[in-house]
Amino acid sequence: MIKANDPSLKSWIEVDANSDFPIQNLPFGIFKTKQGAARVGSRIGDKVIDLNALYVLGYFKNLPFAQADFQTDALNPLMKKGKSATTELRNRLSKLFNKENTDLSNNAHHVDQVLHDVDKVEMLMPVQVGDYTDFYSSEGHATNVGTLFRDPANALLPNWKWIPVGYHGRASSIIPSEQAIKRPKGQQKPNEDQDPVFGPCKLLDFELEMAFITYDGKPLGESISTDEAKDYIFGMCIMNDWSARDIQKWEYVPLGPFLAKSFASSISPWIVTMDALEPFKTKGPVQDPKVLPYLEYKEDAHYDINLEVGIIPEKSEETIVCKSNYKYMYWNMSQQLAHHTVNGCNIRCGDMMASGTISGEEKSSFGSMLELSWRGTQPLKMKDGSERKFIQDHDTVVMRGHCNANGVRIGFGEVSTKVLPAD
Ligand code: CA
């Protein structure tokens, strides 16, 4: 077991029982305070830990990092150092904040420089994303979409259980939680027998997804096997992969999603490491037909992560519209990465790969409004009495995720995004 995951560990920083951030989590992110510049942080309870300050004060001796790895506006330099380095860094944080260790806790002057209240900092985009790939790996979602748009009897296309289907998305419009988005504009074709029209999207949707972030991969021309995949994945966040359904429907044949997806994808700001998620591994579904050899995997590679989505109408209270779980994925991350690189495609430090919308079998676990409202035919009731088929202007969409095992809860916090009207 990774020492920093020991369920018996306690921190000298107070942590609420329902917090996503006990000492067993120790995620990484980028933050800034009112006065200071962007830098690398971690988190315990409601305190953000300044890793640049810890470095300057000498608490990272004998670790393979330089100050430039912490005094920076992205986690990329830190991830560049590779998996064993980031594992050591998390282990050092675990030691420093352990209740039994007084090296830092006894030095009030240092503690003042290192800890910030979470409500006094701004969380920024954690990673400079090079390439963004979006998979389509939830059987529930692919079945629902196939049923709605094609043929209920043949909802999954013939390749779906052979290939972790995906497409290359847009990295420049990946944004952190709390950054509002504008309703996108584009071409739509609401009437089959009339010409297309241009205007604000009318069918704006969220997609509940998880995304993983990679270390440097192998050189162009080489592949990463399912066994090797874990050494190339740094951590995960929650992603709301915004979608304009009306724009999508008109543009996606023959080359797939384009402007319907590229206007924004929102992510939660804390990257939870694969080390921290290790205790929450679980078995995946039986894959039938048997997958091709390069997609076979040995160890459990799915993760039990509870997910939920809420909608907060303007000046109103939140209604939870979806409760799902990341374990509903058909294809796991090891298979996705093995497939992505099997043709020799190189992945780079800071690439982001998303799961695709996560939907379970129950209606309450569907991960998009398209499915929840069944293409607008079954509107959802909000607590304030209003109804939603899709997302309206001034709505805020919130996604959260957490794991529970052995008396330890760790989580991702949330990704929260308000939708503003089109210009
Ligand atoms: Ca998506």
Side-chain angles (χ1 to χ4, degrees):
M1 183 176 71
I2 299 167
K3 269 191 202 149
N5 292 347
D6 183 344
S8 70
L9 295 178
K10 291 261 184 294
S11 175
W12 48 268
I13 299 174
E14 204 181 306
V15 182
D16 188 87
N18 286 323
S19 172
D20 282 350
F21 304 102
I23 193 171
Q24 288 83 0
N25 192 342
L26 298 170
F28 294 97
I30 299 289
F31 76 99
K32 72 182 182 75
T33 51
K34 267 219 173 76
Q35 300 83 13
R39 52 216 192 257
V40 174
S42 184
R43 181 168 169 176
I44 295 179
D46 290 334
K47 297 290 182 188
V48 171
I49 301 164
D50 185 333
L51 268 58
N52 184 50
L54 282 174
Y55 182 90
V56 170
L57 295 169
Y59 288 98
F60 289 162
K61 287 209 176 83
N62 304 318
L63 290 178
F65 293 97
Q67 192 182 353
D69 300 328
F70 303 109
Q71 196 177 37
T72 171
D73 62 358
L75 296 175
N76 300 54
L78 190 149
M79 295 189 293
K80 267 272 180 202
K81 298 287 165 77
K83 185 173 171 92
S84 65
T86 57
T87 296
E88 271 186 74
L89 176 61
R90 180 167 167 270
N91 285 340
R92 179 68 60 88
L93 291 173
S94 176
K95 268 192 199 143
L96 284 172
F97 291 92
N98 188 325
K99 212 171 197 163
E100 331 247 278
N101 183 338
T102 54
D103 293 353
L104 174 60
S105 61
N106 269 359
N107 192 330
H109 180 59
H110 283 182
V111 171
D112 274 353
Q113 295 174 64
V114 167
L115 296 187
H116 300 274
D117 291 334
V118 70
D119 53 9
K120 298 267 166 53
V121 310
E122 184 187 348
M123 294 307 299
L124 307 174
M125 184 66 194
V127 179
Q128 192 182 356
V129 180
D131 283 300
Y132 164 46
T133 301
D134 193 18
F135 285 93
Y136 189 57
S137 289
S138 151
E139 185 173 2
H141 176 68
T143 304
N144 287 337
V145 171
T147 302
L148 283 166
F149 286 105
R150 285 189 308 272
D151 173 12
N154 298 291
L156 291 182
L157 288 169
N159 62 4
W160 199 88
K161 290 203 165 177
W162 293 97
I163 292 175
V165 170
Y167 75 98
H168 291 298
R170 184 79 194 162
S172 67
S173 54
I174 302 177
I175 53 173
S177 180
E178 305 294 337
Q179 184 173 337
I181 64 162
K182 264 192 307 197
R183 179 176 296 271
K185 291 183 285 196
Q187 283 196 33
Q188 306 131 38
K189 197 168 186 297
N191 298 306
E192 287 293 326
D193 44 7
Q194 286 172 24
D195 286 346
V197 297
F198 176 83
C201 156
K202 292 180 187 64
L203 310 181
L204 181 63
D205 203 354
F206 60 77
E207 289 190 332
L208 170 63
E209 307 197 16
M210 301 283 308
F212 66 88
I213 293 141
T214 60
Y215 294 108
D216 261 327
K218 294 184 182 177
L220 182 68
E222 295 185 26
S223 308
I224 296 170
S225 70
T226 53
D227 281 349
E228 294 167 328
K230 60 181 184 308
D231 296 331
Y232 292 92
I233 303 177
F234 171 64
M236 301 183 75
C237 58
I238 307 170
M239 176 182 273
N240 179 351
D241 195 27
W242 292 99
S243 297
R245 298 298 179 200
D246 37 7
I247 297 172
Q248 181 179 2
K249 187 170 177 251
W250 171 227
E251 76 173 1
Y252 86 102
V253 178
L255 282 186
F258 190 29
L259 304 187
K261 302 282 186 171
S262 61
F263 59 95
S265 304
S266 306
I267 61 167
S268 55
W270 292 109
I271 308 302
V272 178
T273 63
M274 298 321 293
D275 284 346
L277 290 168
E278 181 79 26
F280 308 99
K281 280 185 168 175
T282 188
K283 270 206 181 343
V286 175
Q287 295 185 322
D288 180 21
K290 192 170 171 326
V291 298
L292 292 174
Y294 81 94
L295 290 170
E296 286 174 3
Y297 64 98
K298 295 191 194 92
E299 293 167 20
D300 288 354
H302 288 70
Y303 290 82
D304 187 349
I305 305 172
N306 301 293
L307 300 167
E308 67 176 25
V309 184
I311 297 175
I312 311 172
E314 177 91 320
K315 295 186 182 126
S316 181
E317 60 178 320
E318 176 176 341
T319 303
I320 299 292
V321 296
C322 161
K323 279 187 180 286
S324 189
N325 195 302
Y326 184 60
K327 71 182 176 190
Y328 296 148
M329 302 300 293
Y330 188 82
W331 300 103
N332 59 55
M333 287 179 272
S334 301
Q335 293 178 310
Q336 290 169 337
L337 198 54
H339 182 68
H340 204 305
T341 60
V342 77
N343 65 346
C345 171
N346 52 330
I347 59 149
R348 293 177 297 194
C349 177
D351 284 356
M352 188 170 276
M353 301 190 187
S355 56
T357 308
I358 304 161
S359 295
E361 285 183 13
E362 301 296 320
K363 189 180 171 191
S364 58
S365 68
F366 293 173
S368 66
M369 290 302 282
L370 175 73
E371 297 161 87
L372 287 163
S373 76
W374 210 245
R375 213 176 175 179
T377 59
Q378 300 166 27
L380 301 187
K381 269 250 177 308
M382 299 289 106
K383 281 185 181 166
D384 66 4
S386 61
E387 288 188 340
R388 289 292 179 286
K389 296 175 180 173
F390 289 90
I391 300 302
Q392 296 183 0
D393 287 345
H394 309 293
D395 283 352
T396 298
V397 175
V398 188
M399 297 179 175
R400 304 181 186 86
H402 75 273
C403 318
N404 260 315
N406 311 315
V408 174
R409 171 196 166 116
I410 73 166
F412 292 80
E414 63 180 35
V415 50
S416 170
T417 315
K418 185 169 185 173
V419 174
L420 304 176
D423 293 332

